[in-house]
Amino acid sequence: MPDDDPTQQVSSPAGAGSDPGGRFERLYADAERGEAVVPWDLDRAHSLLAEWTDRTRPDGSGRRALVVGCGFGRDAEHLARLGFATVAFDISPTAVRTARRRHPDSPVRYETADLLDPPRDWLGGFDFVLESMNVQALPAELRRRAIPAVGRLVAPDGMLLVIAAGRRDDEAVEGPPWPLTRAEVDAFAAGPLIPARVEEIAAPDGGIRWRAEFRHR
């Protein structure tokens, strides 16, 4: 698996965990001015997403997808190529503006939004929801709110795919980020969502990654 999720590089000395939205906006704004590099700014979809779509061959025709924390749009563009009518959002206006500029002819609808306060018509509105490497950037209190918030975006008969850096239950970390424990991954199965498959995958940095599927009952 390519090392395309450099989780040890996402923390910012300018940002404490109390303001993750501001921390990422500052990073994206600095990058726009050429004063910083966004570590996850790659020209390909996350490898665990690409491997999953290669294996499952999802048909996006007539189906809506939502990408949480889209950054510059690499995963959103991947899903759009599979035929999904894709909406992608980020809390950083600069990230969204850059994504639109980089993909001027894209069918993806890029929006600035807050996962904890999404547009009302997004609730239960998407056949496929992707949460990749975002929740782990949140401190514990916000993380506990964000995990069920992701699930509320999934439509009846839809599915959620979660990709995250992982850690053991007894493994202490100083974030951000805070890689997710298995219990935190399992917590995405809230309300009508039930787990379909949870994979623990070895990462090049010696850690683990989670790739988990949840289905709407």
Side-chain angles (χ1 to χ4, degrees), residues 123-158:
L123 299 177
F126 296 91
D127 304 293
F128 181 82
V129 174
L130 174 67
E131 153 48 29
S132 178
M133 312 295 287
N134 293 291
V135 169
Q136 66 195 44
L138 303 177
E141 180 181 352
L142 289 179
R143 197 161 63 245
R144 284 191 291 269
R145 294 170 55 196
I147 287 173
V150 172
R152 286 193 284 270
L153 302 167
V154 182
D157 297 322

Side-chain angles (χ1 to χ4, degrees), residues 64-67 70 76-77 80 84-90 96 99-100 103 106-112 119 121-122 126:
R64 297 187 73 204
L66 180 70
V67 178
C70 64
E77 295 298 320
F84 287 96
T86 305
V87 177
F89 76 93
D90 203 286
V96 171
R100 290 171 177 166
H103 310 288
S106 172
V108 176
R109 196 177 95 207
Y110 289 102
E111 302 285 352
T112 302
D121 63 351
W122 286 9
F126 296 91

